[in-house]
Amino acid sequence: MHNHWAVMCAIAVISLAGCESLHVDHISLKHTQQQTAAAVAGADSVVVSVKANDSRNVLAPGISRKLGQAVVGYGRNGLGEQTYPDIIVTEPVALTLKRSIEDELKARGFHVDGIADFIVEVDIKNFFNDYKVGLIFSESVADLNMDIKVLSSKGALLYSRNIAVQGRKAWASTMRGDDAGIALNRALDNGINALFGDNAFLSVFSPDR
């Protein structure tokens, strides 16, 4: 009798796990590094540290479920109604942003380390994909909003900017994780490119400061 009960419990656990997996789409995000990045004069003598914080409100619509800040979107049906699956990232959004900025800094000749001459602080306000359902086709639209600051090693504010961009994927046929991942990656690329396309940002790291 006890063995029978144990088997039934095991089956129930496996069944619940299977149901949960049907409600979640896992996506991996990665910034496409700029091919035109060139070494900045004097960068080899400058050390930069990057810190990223995800301050998205876990109680906001869309990320209020038990998966919290891992959620970056959700599915919709043909009527535009929110449905499963939850679309979640395989690594924290803050870590993805941090690594993306570090890679671009390294591509320009800067050294990246925890003890640094300059500190780049990233505060992520929004990073979320939604589907816009139209009469002819649906579109995946991802929003990225982040505050960027650069501080000196002594804490002086040298640079401050808010970046708000979108990434889009037209003809979103599935309205699930695949299309959301494309739009989110494009938003990530657009945000990083906007930052490194700002001459005021790169000029902050002058070794003469």
Side-chain angles (χ1 to χ4, degrees):
M1 181 65 178
H2 290 295
N3 289 338
H4 176 73
W5 177 250
V7 170
M8 294 299 293
C9 288
I11 292 173
V13 169
I14 293 171
S15 297
L16 288 173
C19 291
E20 179 67 23
S21 67
L22 293 175
H23 295 165
V24 173
D25 268 2
H26 296 81
I27 61 172
S28 298
L29 300 179
K30 182 177 175 58
H31 167 59
T32 302
Q33 191 169 322
Q34 294 180 344
Q35 298 299 311
T36 57
V40 175
D44 58 345
S45 64
V46 177
V47 183
V48 184
S49 172
V50 181
K51 300 178 181 179
N53 174 59
D54 189 350
S55 64
R56 292 178 297 151
N57 185 356
V58 296
L59 298 179
I63 56 174
S64 59
R65 299 177 181 177
K66 64 182 178 180
L67 297 170
Q69 289 179 324
V71 179
V72 290
Y74 45 73
R76 287 191 183 276
N77 61 24
L79 299 177
E81 299 169 329
Q82 180 180 341
T83 62
Y84 288 116
D86 285 325
I87 300 167
I88 69 173
V89 287
T90 55
E91 76 170 9
V93 171
L95 180 56
T96 301
L97 262 295
K98 178 178 184 293
R99 184 186 302 113
S100 300
I101 293 173
E102 288 176 341
D103 287 346
E104 291 291 354
L105 286 168
K106 292 175 184 177
R108 289 160 175 78
F110 295 101
H111 298 285
V112 175
D113 196 88
I115 301 175
D117 307 302
F118 302 94
I119 302 96
V120 178
E121 292 186 351
V122 184
D123 191 19
I124 304 161
K125 302 296 186 181
N126 185 29
F127 190 49
F128 201 78
N129 180 82
D130 198 4
Y131 287 102
K132 309 302 181 184
V133 180
L135 294 176
I136 300 177
F137 66 91
S138 299
E139 185 178 20
S140 181
V141 180
D143 287 284
L144 170 61
N145 187 304
M146 57 183 178
D147 289 335
I148 308 289
K149 293 180 180 179
V150 179
L151 307 175
S152 72
S153 59
K154 297 180 180 180
L157 179 63
L158 305 176
Y159 174 90
S160 179
R161 180 184 176 184
N162 173 264
I163 293 177
V165 294
Q166 285 188 331
R168 293 175 175 266
K169 164 65 167 63
W171 299 100
S173 57
T174 64
M175 287 192 282
R176 292 173 62 100
D178 290 344
D179 289 324
I182 293 172
L184 287 162
N185 270 325
R186 289 174 178 173
L188 176 63
D189 288 344
N190 290 340
I192 299 299
N193 293 344
L195 177 63
F196 280 86
D198 185 355
N199 290 330
F201 172 70
L202 288 176
S203 65
V204 164
F205 306 114
S206 170
D208 299 327
R209 277 186 178 270

